[in-house]
Amino acid sequence: MKGVAGGAAAVAPPQFGLINVLKAGAAQLIVLHHLAFYGPMADRAGELFPDLVGWLASDARIAVQVFLVIGGFLAAKSLAPAGHAGLADPLGALWQRYLKLAPPFFAATLLAAAAGALAAQWMTHESISAPATVGQLAAHALLLHDVLGYPALSAGAWYVAIDFQLYAMAVLMAWGAGLAMRPRALLLPLIAAAGVILSLLHFNLDPDWDNWGLYFFGSYGLGMLAWWAGDARRPARAALLLAALIVLSALLALLVEFRSRIALALLTACLLLLWGRVRTHAASAAWPAVNALARSSYSVFLVHFPVCLVVNAAFTRFAPPAPEWQALGMLLAWGASVTGGALFYRVVEAPLAASDLMKSRKARSGGGTSLRPG
């Protein structure tokens, strides 16, 4: 979006600078992690940089915690910015979230299926999925593929389904807290804090729960608490209580069992608590690039796996097996993923979001079918 004032050049509106930096950086780590973890290029390139490729293949995956915490932070901002209990239209909120996530995800799923078919012509590798079935595609469209036991067609498919589950949990909390006869000012944040503690001390310790949002709510809920604790209008005692809940719940979880992913979630939540609400202008040449990378981060997340799969297959079939060539292929796949994500954002994600926004406005103004339950 751009605005013009007094005939001056168009200036981008201020944005959440820290969030954009975190999203842009975490998205790149996720791409590099999957490049190092899947496909034969990394096996050969690892001969040149064994420590780097090994770290990307194992530890870089925890960058997803940044997105989980940011997701909770922005969910609290959207659903209950002041932390007050109650939500007038829970079904409408869920539907809007589904429309934001699912249509671009399904488009990327079809792209992944096509990429797998192409890659299978050039190489045989375990990262190539079997041809998609109708049931498998339907489960992806409903964001239920993992729950129903269908193999994912893309490496990041699990996160999209978990994001929707987590948002649904936040909606349920906000709506359910409003049903109390006398909802207190801190009722909703305290319910979220209880969910964080339960998740961190029970569900997140059991890998059998990793298809469900309860496993990840500890990180997501830390983000929600960070939004509410950072509200300058909140009384100091209440803000300190919420900040203490963030730190103490995570530290207790780390004492029970240290998990680097939870340590990163705690660090991210603390950063958002302190500076997450700060809006920055594109005052330097770097900010427009950071903002653009953040804006297309979801699209990059959706399309990078099929892009990387095709590049892996092409370099396996047509390029020399020398480590230098395969390392070049990894760099090419990384750049193609970022470029492909930006293109996917412009061609698919942004138009779909604009269409959904227009339908929502028509519904609220009476020009279309209302999203509010009868």
Side-chain angles (χ1 to χ4, degrees):
M1 296 176 63
K2 297 180 179 180
V4 179
V11 178
Q15 301 186 38
F16 290 131
L18 174 63
I19 290 178
N20 283 358
V21 168
L22 292 174
K23 287 171 65 176
Q28 304 314 306
L29 284 175
I30 293 299
V31 173
L32 291 170
H33 164 63
H34 287 148
L35 260 175
F37 191 81
Y38 296 102
M41 286 193 303
D43 296 336
R44 295 205 167 97
E47 298 175 19
L48 294 176
F49 312 103
D51 292 338
L52 176 60
V53 173
W55 181 83
L56 289 172
S58 59
D59 296 332
R61 69 183 184 275
I62 68 171
V64 76
Q65 296 295 319
V66 173
F67 285 108
L68 289 168
V69 178
I70 290 175
F73 189 81
L74 297 178
K77 172 183 177 293
S78 171
L79 295 172
H84 295 155
L87 191 62
D89 186 12
L91 294 180
L94 284 175
W95 179 241
Q96 288 302 312
R97 189 63 181 172
Y98 178 83
L99 290 179
K100 178 177 176 60
L101 293 174
F105 169 64
F106 190 68
T109 297
L110 295 177
L111 180 64
L118 176 60
Q121 304 300 312
W122 294 337
M123 73 173 184
T124 300
H125 194 269
E126 60 184 6
S127 60
I128 301 176
S129 301
T133 66
V134 173
Q136 188 178 19
L137 291 174
H140 278 69
L142 295 174
L143 306 182
L144 293 173
H145 42 282
D146 286 331
V147 172
L148 297 178
Y150 285 97
L153 292 169
S154 181
W158 70 269
Y159 177 84
V160 183
I162 290 298
D163 181 280
F164 185 71
Q165 288 186 36
L166 290 169
Y167 193 83
M169 293 172 65
V171 166
L172 181 61
M173 287 180 179
W175 174 74
L179 299 180
M181 292 184 63
R182 289 186 176 181
R184 303 293 182 179
L186 286 178
L187 178 60
L188 177 56
L190 290 177
I191 290 175
V196 168
I197 295 171
L198 183 61
S199 173
L200 293 179
L201 297 183
H202 178 66
F203 294 106
N204 192 256
L205 294 172
D206 185 354
D208 289 340
W209 282 95
D210 66 359
N211 285 337
W212 298 94
L214 288 168
Y215 182 86
F216 301 93
F217 188 78
S219 300
Y220 195 83
L222 289 177
M224 296 176 69
L225 293 174
W227 172 266
W228 291 322
D231 189 349
R233 298 166 298 178
R234 189 175 298 281
R237 288 184 181 180
L240 287 174
L241 171 63
L242 295 178
L245 286 172
I246 292 172
V247 175
L248 294 178
S249 60
L251 288 180
L252 177 60
L254 294 174
L255 286 173
V256 171
E257 181 178 312
F258 182 82
R259 287 152 278 174
S260 58
R261 62 185 183 272
I262 303 306
L264 178 59
L266 172 59
L267 175 60
T268 305
C270 290
L271 290 174
L272 293 179
L273 167 61
L274 295 173
W275 299 292
R277 291 172 176 254
V278 176
R279 295 183 182 268
T280 57
H281 292 272
S284 67
W287 276 114
V290 169
N291 294 339
L293 287 172
R295 185 167 54 247
S296 63
S297 60
Y298 182 52
S299 288
V300 171
F301 190 83
L302 292 178
V303 305
H304 76 276
F305 183 76
V307 169
C308 292
L309 186 62
V310 170
V311 175
N312 259 291
F315 268 70
T316 298
R317 175 66 177 83
F318 300 109
E324 294 81 5
W325 276 95
Q326 300 302 309
L328 177 63
M330 290 185 68
L331 290 175
L332 177 63
W334 181 18
S337 295
V338 175
T339 304
L343 180 62
F344 189 86
Y345 174 80
R346 293 187 62 180
V347 174
V348 179
E349 184 185 355
L352 286 173
S355 175
D356 294 339
L357 179 61
M358 184 175 296
K359 291 177 182 177
S360 176
R361 286 176 175 172
K362 286 182 178 180
R364 288 196 298 267
S365 65
T369 302
S370 175
L371 293 175
R372 293 184 177 274

